[in-house]
Amino acid sequence: MCQYRQVSNYYVLCGHSITEPDVEIKCNSPKCIFSPKHPATCTGPSCKEKCFQYHQFPQQFSPHVKAKCPNCA
Ligand SMILES: [Zn+2]
Ligand SMILES: [Zn+2]
Ligand SMILES: [Zn+2]
C-alpha cells in the first residue's frame, strides 16, 4: 500500500523548520490502485472490494540539521 513521506527539516542554528514536498512511495502491489503494478483492467466495484483505495498513514520525519535554514544562511 503506497504512502507519502513528509520530511520537515529542523534547522537547529536558527530554529526554523522547512517542509519539503511530499514524496510518494510506491508499494508495487497489484492490489493497490496507486501502484504501477495495479492492472489497468481492474476497475469498478470489484476493484473497490479487493484493492486498497487509500494511501497508508504518511511517514513523517523531522531530521535536525546543524545549520541555518536557507532563508537565514
Ligand atoms: Zn500502493
Ligand atoms: Zn484494483
Ligand atoms: Zn531560519
Side-chain angles (χ1 to χ4, degrees):
M1 198 173 175
C2 303
Q3 65 182 163
Y4 286 106
R5 179 163 53 187
Q6 298 173 332
V7 178
S8 175
N9 289 308
Y10 176 73
Y11 291 88
V12 179
L13 296 188
C14 68
H16 295 137
S17 292
I18 294 185
T19 304
E20 293 184 0
D22 292 357
V23 180
E24 190 180 17
I25 305 167
K26 300 286 189 184
C27 63
N28 289 320
S29 163
K31 289 192 179 305
C32 167
I33 60 164
F34 304 105
S35 163
K37 297 273 166 67
H38 181 249
T41 51
C42 181
T43 53
S46 68
C47 177
K48 280 218 165 74
E49 204 171 284
K50 65 179 167 52
C51 299
F52 294 114
Q53 309 289 311
Y54 302 101
H55 282 90
Q56 213 175 334
F57 192 79
Q59 288 178 8
Q60 292 169 320
F61 295 100
S62 53
H64 285 202
V65 182
K66 284 194 177 133
K68 288 181 180 176
C69 77
N71 297 328
C72 295

